[in-house]
Amino acid sequence: MKKILFIIMLISQPVLSDELQIKNIVEGDGVEIINHSKIQVHYIGKLQDGTKFDSSYDRGQPLSFQIGLRQVIEGWENGLMGMKVGGKRTLIIPPKLGYGERGAGDLIPPNATLIFDIEIVDVKPPGYKLVLSEEIQSLQANDFMFIDIRTKKERDNTGIIPGSLEITAFDIYGNFVPEFMKTITSTVDINDNIVFISNSGDIASILANGFVEQLGAKNMYALQGGIQQLLKEDYKLKKN
C-alpha cells in the first residue's frame, strides 16, 4: 500500500500559472520537457533586489528532479514545461507560485517574488508513453489492455472504448479506491501492455507514471487527452 500512497497525493487540480513571467533566452535544441520528464538543471535564484539566495553553479552540481511530482515550487513546475536541453530561461515567480506567506528560512522572506535564471542540462522522457486516438484499434489488435479508470457514472455518461476494461481508480469525490490495486493485479499482469484511460488524460498519466516509478512496470501507457479528446473527434464509444 505504501507504494501507491504517492499516487493518491498527486491527484489534484492543476495549478494555474497566473502572473508567472517567462523570458526565453536560448531556445535549446535537445529533448523537450514534458510531464514526468526527469531533468537536470543549473540555476541562479535571486530576489527582486538582485540578492542571490541560491546557485547550483556555485555548488558545481546541477539539480535533478522529476517534473510533475511537486518536487519543486509550482512556478518551476509551470515555467519549465516545453523547454529543451540547452535552453535557457528566466522565470519571474510570484509569491503564490513560490514560497508564499511563509518564505523559506532566512534566505527567502515572506511574500517574495523570485527570479530564476535556469539552464536545462539533461532531459529523460518519462517511463510511460502516450497513446493517440488513431492508435487504439491497432494496439488492441496487438493485445494491449485498455483500462478505463473513471467512475461508473462517468463511463455511463460518455460511453467507453469498445473492448476496454472498467476498473475505477477514484470515486466521485476524488478519493482513491482501496480495491483498485487488488482488482487490477488480479485481472492483468502489470508487465502487460497497459493503457490507462481517464477523463482528460492527466490522471491516467499520473497513474501510469506511478506504476513505472513505484512498481517497476515496463509497458505502461496513457491515452492522451482522455475520453474528452475522443469526444471531440467523434470517436465511436460504446454505451452499456
Side-chain angles (χ1 to χ4, degrees):
M1 195 63 185
K2 289 183 179 178
K3 290 182 178 179
I4 207 69
L5 285 179
F6 93 112
I7 297 177
I8 302 171
M9 287 171 18
L10 292 174
I11 304 296
S12 59
Q13 294 297 320
V15 178
L16 299 177
S17 57
D18 292 343
E19 302 176 25
L20 172 66
Q21 298 179 53
I22 298 174
K23 298 180 180 180
N24 286 314
I25 310 302
V26 177
E27 288 293 337
D29 57 5
V31 178
E32 182 176 343
I33 295 173
I34 61 174
N35 199 26
H36 300 131
S37 294
K38 293 181 178 180
I39 67 178
Q40 289 187 336
V41 304
H42 265 309
Y43 68 93
I44 298 173
K46 298 173 289 186
L47 302 178
Q48 276 186 302
D49 63 5
T51 301
K52 182 172 68 174
F53 59 82
D54 194 12
S55 171
S56 63
Y57 293 103
D58 292 348
R59 293 191 296 275
Q61 180 68 39
L63 175 66
S64 300
F65 60 96
Q66 189 173 26
I67 201 80
L69 298 188
R70 309 292 168 85
Q71 295 174 344
V72 293
I73 59 175
E74 293 162 4
W76 274 41
E77 289 276 9
N78 295 326
L80 298 183
M81 294 294 288
M83 290 190 73
K84 299 177 181 179
V85 173
K88 295 182 179 181
R89 181 177 284 183
T90 296
L91 303 180
I92 302 175
I93 301 174
K96 66 180 179 180
L97 298 181
Y99 293 96
E101 296 179 355
R102 70 185 186 279
D106 298 327
L107 297 175
I108 300 176
N111 297 311
T113 294
L114 307 176
I115 301 172
F116 285 96
D117 297 316
I118 299 174
E119 175 185 2
I120 306 302
V121 177
D122 188 41
V123 176
K124 292 182 179 179
Y128 69 91
K129 296 180 177 65
L130 296 174
V131 167
L132 302 177
S133 59
E134 57 263 31
E135 300 175 300
I136 293 174
Q137 292 185 356
S138 64
L139 292 179
Q140 286 180 321
N142 283 283
D143 297 324
F144 276 62
M145 307 291 293
F146 282 73
I147 301 178
D148 195 320
I149 62 172
R150 299 176 299 153
T151 64
K152 184 179 185 303
K153 182 178 180 180
E154 288 176 309
R155 293 192 292 262
D156 289 345
N157 183 49
T158 64
I160 64 172
I161 296 172
S164 60
L165 300 177
E166 302 174 49
I167 307 177
T168 299
F170 297 88
D171 64 21
I172 59 174
Y173 304 105
N175 299 314
F176 185 70
V177 176
E179 295 81 15
F180 174 76
M181 290 303 297
K182 181 178 179 180
T183 303
I184 196 169
T185 54
S186 64
T187 305
V188 301
D189 188 313
I190 65 167
N191 291 316
D192 289 340
N193 291 303
I194 295 174
V195 184
F196 285 128
I197 306 161
S198 62
N199 185 48
S200 63
D202 293 338
I203 294 177
S205 294
I206 292 172
L207 200 57
N209 187 66
F211 271 71
V212 170
E213 296 292 329
Q214 299 296 311
L215 302 179
K218 303 295 184 183
N219 305 303
M220 303 303 302
Y221 300 79
L223 179 63
Q224 183 168 304
I227 291 295
Q228 290 304 313
Q229 180 61 36
L230 298 188
L231 292 174
K232 292 177 183 177
E233 299 175 8
D234 293 323
Y235 190 94
K236 190 173 182 179
L237 298 173
K238 173 187 174 183
K239 287 198 174 185
N240 294 326

